[in-house]
């Protein structure tokens, strides 16, 4: 089966700059390399390191889209809506695909509705939308029309599926949970390393450490977690270890991060 995956267009694939959607996509591509099940094509924004890593894949064709630095700069600073950047990206994707002149058995749109309806206007196929968060927070007619036209809508949680069904009037969605690498994330085998990290960050072995890893933005809920800490008795020695930045590894200070420092 020939499958086209349209990545969101914010970060590169392979996931050299992180990103939850991009990392999950990496896992899918690596699985296919081992089992050789499908002929996978994937679109992504260009990145030098990602392109070098892409050359190691045998059963994946990467189609890279070069974005202007200015569009990236203004979108990261919220000077223009992300949807406008998505629109530009998806138009470039269509141009590249028109040059390839290939047909696909399935087209998977990863988490960006704009990419979906722009693609569907010009390219026929069996569309699957893979939702990682509530991109219908603000209802748009084109978004809803695209969702209703999809062969299948896959969500990463039951809650998200319920939200999309309610807002878009979908008859059904399918839940496929994100996986966990149990060899990488396991309690045993890392005791010495964990002890060194506790010492590095001034944590005792008796502290109950709650780790938050992610973007330090309001929608990720870190402030709710910090506020909840005040309800835990001090004798329980609960501590939050915050790991992240404002935007995927970039260390720019923001008003939100400064507000977090005041309450931490």
């Amino acid at each position: 089966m020939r499958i086209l995956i349209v990545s969101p267009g914010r970060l590169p694939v392979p996931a050299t700059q992180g990103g939850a959607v991009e990392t999950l996509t990496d896992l899918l591509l690596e699985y296919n390399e081992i089992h050789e099940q499908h002929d996978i094509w994937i679109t992504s924004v260009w990145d030098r390191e990602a392109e070098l890593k892409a050359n190691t894949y045998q059963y994946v064709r990467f189609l890279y889209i070069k974005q202007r630095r200015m569009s990236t700069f203004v979108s990261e600073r919220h000077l223009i809506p992300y949807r406008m950047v998505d629109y530009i990206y998806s138009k470039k994707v269509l141009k590249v695909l028109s040059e390839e002149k290939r047909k696909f058995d399935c087209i998977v749109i990863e988490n960006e509705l704009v990419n979906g309806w722009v693609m569907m206007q010009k390219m026929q196929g069996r569309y699957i939308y893979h939702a990682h968060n509530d991109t219908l927070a603000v209802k748009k007619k084109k978004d809803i029309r695209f969702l209703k036209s999809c062969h299948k809508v896959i969500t990463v949680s039951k809650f998200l599926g319920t939200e999309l069904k309610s807002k878009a009037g979908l008859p059904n969605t399918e839940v496929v949970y994100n996986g966990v690498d149990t060899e990488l994330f396991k309690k045993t085998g890392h005791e010495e390393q964990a002890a060194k990290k506790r010492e590095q960050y001034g944590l005792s072995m008796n502290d109950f450490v709650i780790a938050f890893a992610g973007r330090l933005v309001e929608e990720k809920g870190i402030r709710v977690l910090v506020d909840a800490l005040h309800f835990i008795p001090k004798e329980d020695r609960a501590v939050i270890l915050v790991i992240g930045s404002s935007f995927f590894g970039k260390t720019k200070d923001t008003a939100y991060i400064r507000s977090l420092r005041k309450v931490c």
Side-chain angles (χ1 to χ4, degrees):
M1 180 182 288
R2 181 178 293 144
I3 300 171
L4 172 65
I5 300 175
V6 181
S7 73
R10 307 279 175 81
L11 295 169
V13 179
T16 53
Q17 296 181 26
V21 178
E22 292 75 18
T23 301
L24 179 65
T25 305
D26 263 3
L27 295 175
L28 293 173
L29 300 182
E30 289 167 6
Y31 183 89
N32 191 66
E33 283 293 294
I34 296 171
H35 298 279
E36 305 174 23
Q37 291 180 324
H38 304 290
D39 176 19
I40 297 180
W41 293 47
I42 183 165
T43 70
S44 165
V45 290
W46 179 83
D47 172 74
R48 188 181 303 279
E49 187 180 349
E51 186 175 35
L52 289 173
K53 189 175 180 181
N55 292 331
T56 65
Y57 287 81
Q58 291 185 338
Y59 303 101
V60 182
R61 173 77 182 274
F62 291 86
L63 303 174
Y64 282 111
I65 308 298
K66 289 194 175 183
Q67 296 283 63
R68 292 183 179 179
R69 290 184 179 180
M70 181 56 69
S71 64
T72 303
F73 176 86
V74 296
S75 65
E76 286 180 5
R77 286 155 180 80
H78 305 288
L79 300 177
I80 63 172
Y82 269 124
R83 290 174 67 88
M84 187 177 295
V85 179
D86 295 339
Y87 183 82
I88 295 170
Y89 168 75
S90 51
K91 282 291 188 180
K92 289 182 177 180
V93 167
L94 282 172
K95 184 176 184 301
V96 170
L97 289 171
S98 67
E99 295 168 356
E100 293 290 341
K101 297 180 180 179
R102 295 295 183 100
K103 291 185 178 181
F104 299 94
D105 300 297
C106 178
I107 301 171
V108 181
I109 304 295
E110 288 287 353
N111 206 48
E112 289 298 339
L113 290 165
V114 173
N115 295 343
W117 57 257
V118 172
M119 295 282 296
M120 191 175 275
Q121 286 175 346
K122 297 292 183 179
M123 192 171 181
Q124 293 184 340
R126 193 182 192 190
Y127 281 79
I128 293 176
Y129 182 65
H130 190 189
H132 297 255
N133 53 43
D134 187 4
T135 49
L136 262 187
V138 178
K139 292 184 181 180
K140 300 288 185 180
K141 290 183 179 179
K142 288 182 178 180
D143 295 345
I144 294 174
R145 193 180 304 123
F146 164 71
L147 286 171
K148 288 184 174 179
S149 301
C150 284
H151 173 74
K152 184 171 291 187
V153 174
I154 299 173
T155 65
V156 298
S157 69
K158 290 181 180 179
F159 170 80
L160 184 53
T162 301
E163 287 289 296
L164 290 183
K165 283 189 286 186
S166 173
K167 293 176 180 178
L170 301 178
N172 202 9
T173 60
E174 185 170 333
V175 178
V176 178
Y177 295 111
N178 291 341
V180 175
D181 187 338
T182 54
E183 284 300 309
L184 184 61
F185 295 96
K186 60 182 180 181
K187 291 183 178 181
T188 59
H190 302 284
E191 291 83 358
E192 184 178 345
Q193 185 180 6
K196 288 181 179 179
K197 285 296 180 183
R198 282 177 178 265
E199 183 180 356
Q200 179 182 347
Y201 295 114
L203 303 170
S204 78
M205 295 305 294
N206 294 323
D207 287 333
F208 185 88
V209 181
I210 304 166
F212 172 92
R215 283 187 294 130
L216 302 181
V217 291
E218 186 175 2
E219 59 263 31
K220 292 297 183 181
I222 177 61
R223 178 58 189 269
V224 177
L225 179 60
V226 171
D227 290 342
L229 187 66
H230 299 304
F231 294 93
I232 301 176
K234 289 185 178 181
E235 54 267 26
D236 289 339
R237 302 178 64 90
V239 180
I240 298 175
L241 179 63
V242 179
I243 308 163
S245 63
S246 59
F247 191 83
F248 298 107
K250 297 183 179 180
T251 55
K252 181 188 174 186
D253 204 8
T254 64
Y256 186 75
I257 290 178
R258 289 192 292 272
S259 71
L260 285 176
R261 289 199 188 103
K262 290 179 180 179
V263 298
C264 288

